[in-house]
Amino acid sequence: MQSEELAVEASPNLWVKMQSIALAVVAIMLSLGQWNDTKDAVEVIYESVITNFTNELEYEQLEQIKVGQTHDYLQSFMGVAQASKPSKIDPAVNFFYYGQDKYLLTVAVKAERVVGYSIVALTDSFSAAVPYTELSLLDTPMNSQDTEFERYFTDFGNLDYYAESHTLGRNAMFYNLLLATVDYGQMAQPAKQAIQSLNHQLNMGSDVQAEALQPLRQQVPNTFALSEIAPEIMAEALLTQFEFTAFFR
């Protein structure tokens, strides 16, 4: 009980300190007659606090991304990607990667148009909502999705992951939805073992029964992809462990 009380008290104290800092900055800048600089300073402090202790700014920014946008428009609010590579399945598609501490964003572009994107949660608290569904990353199991999954994709070695594709309905433009659990260093051991077992069966040429997928379908996804292009292309867009480390670690 004592530790719970301390945890509850820590947050108000932190906010009081941050408010004091903000007020001090405002007072100093106002005394110097620098109102524009004061506004900028307060905005920086506010955004820093919100970003460090919540995910709201990131959620709001990512919710602006839509399939069908021009690449130029997306760059106007997301900036320039840190890395890119072409698709081997469809060479007309290029993948652009935005790495942040909390998430990895991949944008698929064809003819200067956004044809798909994916978000990988990189922290335990980044529960971004999955568009057109009732699901959230790191919160709702894959088998909670109300459409039947059609195909699955998996690998073990270059990148440990399991992904399954769904076709969404008319209200969602019949987009393809990919739900996945992907290991960039945070996957729980039972899920990793289930992926390893599944890939071993596939490599041995065994028929994989639906029951064998249940341990993986019960996992909460840390990744989703929404696209109008084939789901295998969005699965191909996943960076290998080596690529992820080279670009973003």
Side-chain angles (χ1 to χ4, degrees), residues 64 69-78:
Q64 295 181 66
Q69 290 172 336
T70 65
H71 191 203
D72 285 346
Y73 178 72
L74 180 136
Q75 290 182 101
S76 72
F77 61 87
M78 287 304 304

Side-chain angles (χ1 to χ4, degrees), residues 106-233:
T106 303
V107 179
V109 175
K110 185 174 184 178
E112 295 304 312
R113 184 173 173 276
V114 175
V115 291
Y117 68 96
S118 69
I119 296 172
V120 182
L122 298 179
T123 65
D124 293 339
S125 63
F126 199 77
S127 299
V130 180
Y132 304 107
T133 76
E134 300 297 321
L135 279 63
S136 296
L137 297 183
L138 302 174
D139 181 60
T140 323
M142 285 190 228
N143 58 9
S144 296
Q145 171 58 13
D146 57 11
T147 54
E148 291 292 328
F149 89 95
E150 298 166 349
R151 302 173 59 189
Y152 69 88
F153 310 88
T154 185
D155 196 9
F156 185 84
N158 293 326
L159 176 67
D160 303 344
Y161 77 91
Y162 168 83
E164 59 183 39
S165 65
H166 300 252
T167 300
L168 300 179
R170 185 185 306 276
N171 292 338
M173 309 286 288
F174 296 105
Y175 288 145
N176 292 306
L177 173 66
L178 201 68
L179 298 172
T181 178
V182 180
D183 186 17
Y184 286 126
Q186 297 175 306
M187 182 178 288
Q189 195 61 31
K192 183 175 289 192
Q193 290 174 345
I195 291 174
Q196 183 176 13
S197 175
L198 173 60
N199 278 272
H200 178 71
Q201 293 180 62
L202 293 172
N203 291 336
M204 294 295 292
S206 304
D207 290 332
V208 177
Q209 303 299 317
E211 293 77 13
L213 301 177
Q214 288 309 308
L216 290 166
R217 302 204 66 236
Q218 292 168 0
Q219 297 294 316
V220 291
N222 66 346
T223 304
F224 77 82
L226 191 70
S227 70
E228 62 184 27
I229 55 177
E232 58 263 32
I233 299 179

Side-chain angles (χ1 to χ4, degrees), residues 12-13 17 23 35 38 40 56 67 75 92 103 121 157-158 174 184 188 198 200 216 224 235 237 239:
N13 288 339
K17 290 179 182 178
L23 289 172
W35 173 238
T38 301
D40 292 342
E56 294 309 313
V67 174
Q75 290 182 101
Y103 66 86
N158 293 326
F174 296 105
Y184 286 126
L198 173 60
H200 178 71
L216 290 166
F224 77 82
L239 292 174

Side-chain angles (χ1 to χ4, degrees), residues 54-70:
T54 78
N55 299 314
E56 294 309 313
L57 292 180
E58 289 87 351
Y59 292 160
E60 289 176 7
Q61 185 178 43
L62 293 173
E63 285 171 1
Q64 295 181 66
I65 302 173
K66 308 294 181 186
V67 174
Q69 290 172 336
T70 65

